[in-house]
Amino acid sequence: MPALLWYRRDLRVDDLPALTAAVAEDSQVLCCFVLDPRLEASSGQRRLQFLGDCLRRLNDDLGGRLLVTRGLPQHRIPQLATEISATAVHVSQDFAPFGRRRDAQVQAALGEIPLVATGSPYLVSPGRVVKDDGSPYRVFTPFFRRWREHGWPRPARSRPEVAHAIDPTTLSGKTAQPVQIPDFGRAELPAGEAAAQEQWKAFVASGLDRYDQDRDLLGRQGVSRMSAYLKFGNIHPRTMAADLRPDSAGAAAYLRQLAFRDFYAAVLHHWPRSSWQNWNSDFDSIQTDTDAEAHRLFARWKAGTTGFPLVDAGMRELLATGFMHNRARMLVSSFLVKDLHLPWQWGARWFLDQLVDGDLANNQHGWQWCAGTGTDASPYFRVFNPTVQGRKFDPDGTYIRRWVAELADVEDPHLVRHGRPPDYPDPIVDHGHERLEALRRYQQLDSLGE
């Protein structure tokens, strides 16, 4: 009873419900990954590098029995299923707009062979946490309460026997069309299931209990750095949730972040247009700048040469590593939308191009939170002051000094008490003036709705 396991955002072997379902009743399983040229074209280089490393590690974990092929899934998956006479194609369910359309096309092409979805990349799959009347939540806090009440299963610690995996070299080369795992270049972050588990164990041992106190402090190693592993499914969040003690304030704060991940996935599931359009359509008429000057300012923002130390530190960390601390993400997003008055979509697209952990649901709705256009959003008139944010969340300037070379040796990297070094740029805008301009645009929008 052969089956086909189609890997997507679940690049691991342990605690993988789709794999467990595929090997039920001693089925032989062909494990495959389809390199979709559409996703290759839309993914940033760092994310492709991490993907390539993940596939190499997964192939090792499967004893060299991962078939990697390239093409459109609606063509390749039915061909492979027919080649091995598969009784079913097993997947982890995908809830993103592109994934849902792709899977519908694959199922139509499979005909009578079922596409069986078991499990998902979330603690609670989108669509399961709803109000009593069945409608989706629009605000996080009540979602969070119901989400905790719903609960989730404990991880399946047993590791399915990889001997069930079919050796892809036994297939017809013409049908299988195997390709070498592409070398997109090596990722800076160690990839794969073992690396994810090692990173998580290290964070639980040394950082979890202080997470609620340290998570916003930019100069400390107070965050878990698990976002890329979750993005690519090197670890399931329920594996992580099992280590979160109920008596720990740090663990409670971390669980809340996992809930936000599920919430944003649910928002995208229920409102797929929110991937690139304002979730709150009342903001569709907000005035944004898109002229030549706007593009010049955007280029300065991307390069981390705005003249605002904390903004520049965040943007340079992103350029150097493909990662940015979440507190810095909030600040640079607010700066782009409310100090530079640029469309949030510009920044969201740049983040997806640069971030290793670029995830559509988290990224787009995090940006909309900062822009004030999304669910549970910060009011548009809340404008972060970059200097105040810096002194609050990087009080000794450790983070700024690390990423802004021009300020590495200055006494006051916030540039409040002392002058500006000659090799560091002047501010590209006046924050006080642009804050008032943001308020004016908000008030103008508000008056239009009256």
Side-chain angles (χ1 to χ4, degrees), residues 203 206-217 220-224 244-245 247-257 325 327 393:
F203 175 70
S206 62
L208 180 59
D209 284 342
R210 290 190 55 85
Y211 179 74
D212 59 317
Q213 304 169 55
D214 292 351
R215 60 183 292 264
D216 280 324
L217 297 177
R220 296 188 184 180
Q221 298 297 323
V223 295
S224 68
L244 301 179
R245 303 193 322 272
D247 60 340
S248 166
Y254 198 90
L255 184 66
R256 186 178 177 87
Q257 295 308 303
H325 192 289
R327 171 54 61 175
F393 297 112

Side-chain angles (χ1 to χ4, degrees), residues 20 69 109 124 158 217 272 305 316 318 338 345 412 416 428 434:
T20 302
T69 185
V124 183
S158 60
L217 297 177
T305 57
R316 295 188 196 187
L318 177 63
K338 299 176 182 178
Q345 293 90 339
D412 174 25
V416 174
I428 58 174
E434 301 308 334

Side-chain angles (χ1 to χ4, degrees), residues 11-56:
L11 304 181
R12 65 183 185 278
V13 177
D14 193 35
D15 191 18
L16 180 58
L19 176 57
T20 302
V23 301
E25 301 181 6
D26 294 324
S27 296
Q28 290 293 296
V29 179
L30 175 62
C31 301
C32 75
F33 183 90
V34 180
L35 284 165
D36 188 329
R38 297 168 297 181
L39 292 181
E40 284 186 87
S42 64
S43 296
Q45 182 65 22
R46 285 194 176 98
R47 210 150 62 250
L48 288 174
Q49 291 170 348
F50 194 78
L51 169 63
D53 285 355
C54 285
L55 292 175
R56 278 182 278 276

Side-chain angles (χ1 to χ4, degrees), residues 198-209 240 243-245:
E198 182 179 350
Q199 175 66 24
W200 176 244
K201 290 177 182 176
F203 175 70
V204 170
S206 62
L208 180 59
D209 284 342
M240 300 159 64
D243 292 327
L244 301 179
R245 303 193 322 272

Side-chain angles (χ1 to χ4, degrees), residues 348-359:
R349 186 172 287 108
W350 179 247
F351 269 28
L352 287 177
D353 182 71
Q354 293 293 309
L355 287 167
V356 177
D357 62 18
D359 174 86

Side-chain angles (χ1 to χ4, degrees), residues 289 297 308 335 337-341 383 428-441:
D289 296 341
L297 294 174
F308 289 87
F335 186 83
V337 174
K338 299 176 182 178
D339 284 72
L340 304 184
H341 315 297
V383 182
I428 58 174
V429 294
D430 181 295
H431 171 71
H433 173 80
E434 301 308 334
R435 175 182 175 275
L436 293 176
E437 174 62 13
L439 293 176
R440 184 193 69 79
R441 296 186 186 202

